[in-house]
Amino acid sequence: MSRDDIPPYLNISPDRAAELLGPPADTPGFASVAEACRRGRQDLASRGLDETGERQLRLFSTWEITRYLIPVAPAHFRRVLRQNPDLPQGQSESAGGAKWFTLDEVLRLRAHFGAEGSKAKNYLPYRPKGLPAKIVAVANFKGGVGKTSTCAHLAMSAALDGYRVLVIDLDSQGSMTSIFGGQVEDEWQTVFPLLARHYATTLRADNQRRLDRGEPPLPFDDTLTEALKLKAPDLIRKTHWPNIDLIGAQLNLYWSEFQIPVWRMQSRGWRLWDALTDVLAEDGVLDDYDLVFLDTPPALGYLTINGLAAADILLVPFGASFLEFDSTGRFFDMLHATFASIEEGENVAARALGREELHFEWDAVRAVMTRYDAGQQAEMAGLIQAYMGQLLSPHRQDFTALIGQAGEQVNGIYEADYRDFNRETYARGRATFDATYAAFKMLLYGIWRREETARTAAAE
């Protein structure tokens, strides 16, 4: 056997290993690593900024618009622009060159085609009037399954489709916040004060009842007093997408996982699982948007429970491997145990008092297969489909080189300029996310039509 054939783990020298080891690690060393990563993160994120330090969404060409966004022939599109000089005319990088448009301009053009174009084409997305926004939670307690990527690209797809979108980052790692260029200084710019406000409202009512009974009130600290002053619109920030807004996250949000159980112990009547739902409805958020996307932490903690309980639609991404399939099955097992426990705990008292019992319900739950490699995982995917049935979304989200390249540039697929690749490579790369959105949109349309039909039947 030649030296090159010897496995690398044989004949390791202890002396050489000790030379390469370096000094022991200590607590301050973690701060040094964190600071180095912070500088690197700022450097990478800044590569997507313009000269003013802001992120700008790229322009969209006539080719992209007529192929992906407004279903008309390019020649007809250009003819409509010539006939309507008041419409956005786009900009060219050279005389006689292709026209490029901002997304704001695309949305204006879509509205024009929706009002004046062929009634046989769906220029505008379906959205029943009088119904609140749909809340979509993307969750799995296993990391690395494409959760944030799936959530971000669905939000971008919906925005390109013309929907008004709010993204709420519930993960203290803040990856979704970074994708949308959010700058969050502390937990007071996250959902934390909304949860605190919900608890404060409950505690204030509890304290009034205590006073009425002649009992001393529970402490009402400055945190709760300040939280009562804030509403969701105070925390919502614009992004570089004209129709995507954001409530961001940062590391301090994680302290919610420690604070929420303390509040729950102080006020057993606080329905913590209703906190996010109630404040979004109370503050009019569900009337201002069409879709609200929640990116949850990779754990079944209190923030995730809030997101899942608030959701109308639950999407669970996972890869086509035994370990991820196994982990996802355990995730559903924990979902059952968690929500069944909440229902049982609440309903014991509800039955005794003759009140309506608590019953969690979701419009739809789907598992989404991500990072799929047809050449390596087709058999495993088929087995998983056989066991999960309709619960598994019919589309399997492929991993392509375009996904990796976009990630290196802190961009989503839809933010990538096809001129950095070529049209064919770009079209193949985005096709898998287009199909993922199509499956989601089919789900969304079905839910909205079901509610619209039920509302009409109830009115008759």
Side-chain angles (χ1 to χ4, degrees), residues 244-307:
I244 299 181
D245 293 340
L246 171 73
I247 297 180
Q250 59 101 253
L251 193 59
N252 288 356
L253 177 60
Y254 188 72
W255 288 106
S256 300
E257 299 291 354
F258 300 97
Q259 185 62 65
I260 288 174
V262 173
W263 290 339
R264 176 68 171 160
M265 289 296 294
Q266 289 177 338
S267 180
R268 302 297 296 179
W270 179 45
R271 296 163 65 96
L272 66 92
W273 48 87
D274 284 341
L276 189 58
T277 314
D278 288 349
V279 294
L280 292 179
E282 182 181 335
D283 293 350
V285 170
L286 303 185
D287 297 323
D288 294 336
Y289 296 91
D290 301 309
L291 292 164
V292 178
F293 286 94
L294 309 177
D295 187 39
T296 63
L300 193 54
Y302 291 105
L303 290 168
T304 301
I305 289 172
N306 260 280

Side-chain angles (χ1 to χ4, degrees), residues 150-172:
T150 298
C151 188
H153 284 99
L154 284 175
M156 293 177 186
S157 296
L160 290 173
D161 210 10
Y163 287 116
R164 299 165 299 167
V165 175
L166 174 65
V167 173
I168 301 179
D169 195 348
L170 297 176
D171 187 349
S172 59

Side-chain angles (χ1 to χ4, degrees), residues 145-354:
V145 296
K147 177 177 60 64
T148 298
S149 176
T150 298
C151 188
H153 284 99
L154 284 175
M156 293 177 186
S157 296
L160 290 173
D161 210 10
Y163 287 116
R164 299 165 299 167
V165 175
L166 174 65
V167 173
I168 301 179
D169 195 348
L170 297 176
D171 187 349
S172 59
Q173 296 177 88
S175 298
M176 181 68 82
T177 303
S178 295
I179 288 173
F180 286 104
Q183 301 292 325
V184 181
E185 294 181 3
D186 56 36
E187 68 273 23
W188 286 91
Q189 295 178 1
T190 71
V191 297
F192 172 77
L194 300 182
L195 305 181
R197 190 186 97 206
H198 191 269
Y199 169 69
T201 302
T202 299
L203 181 59
R204 189 164 56 180
D206 285 349
N207 279 342
Q208 184 59 56
R209 285 190 288 269
R210 287 186 174 89
L211 291 171
D212 293 342
R213 294 192 300 265
E215 299 173 2
L218 293 174
F220 203 92
D221 59 29
D222 292 342
T223 295
L224 301 180
T225 300
E226 290 302 311
L228 286 171
K229 302 175 184 178
L230 289 174
K231 293 187 178 295
D234 300 325
L235 307 172
I236 294 173
R237 300 290 180 264
K238 295 292 183 183
T239 72
H240 56 295
W241 285 72
N243 52 346
I244 299 181
D245 293 340
L246 171 73
I247 297 180
Q250 59 101 253
L251 193 59
N252 288 356
L253 177 60
Y254 188 72
W255 288 106
S256 300
E257 299 291 354
F258 300 97
Q259 185 62 65
I260 288 174
V262 173
W263 290 339
R264 176 68 171 160
M265 289 296 294
Q266 289 177 338
S267 180
R268 302 297 296 179
W270 179 45
R271 296 163 65 96
L272 66 92
W273 48 87
D274 284 341
L276 189 58
T277 314
D278 288 349
V279 294
L280 292 179
E282 182 181 335
D283 293 350
V285 170
L286 303 185
D287 297 323
D288 294 336
Y289 296 91
D290 301 309
L291 292 164
V292 178
F293 286 94
L294 309 177
D295 187 39
T296 63
L300 193 54
Y302 291 105
L303 290 168
T304 301
I305 289 172
N306 260 280
L308 296 177
D312 301 298
I313 300 171
L314 170 59
L315 303 178
V316 182
F318 73 104
S321 72
F322 168 78
L323 291 179
E324 292 192 31
F325 177 48
D326 179 52
S327 175
T328 299
R330 296 176 192 275
F331 176 66
F332 279 107
D333 194 25
M334 286 190 67
L335 289 183
H336 168 258
T338 299
F339 286 102
S341 175
I342 294 172
E343 287 176 346
E344 181 58 29
E346 288 295 299
N347 291 339
V348 168
R351 286 189 288 268
L353 297 172

Side-chain angles (χ1 to χ4, degrees), residues 14 26 53 110 130 147 239 258 266 307 403 411 422 449-450:
D26 58 12
R110 179 186 277 122
K147 177 177 60 64
T239 72
F258 300 97
Q266 289 177 338
I403 295 172
N411 283 329
N422 59 59
R449 179 49 62 91
R450 182 171 65 193

Side-chain angles (χ1 to χ4, degrees), residues 318-322 324-325 369-373 377 380-381 384:
F318 73 104
S321 72
F322 168 78
E324 292 192 31
F325 177 48
M369 193 171 288
T370 59
R371 300 177 295 108
Y372 176 66
D373 183 343
Q377 298 175 317
M380 177 60 73
I384 293 172

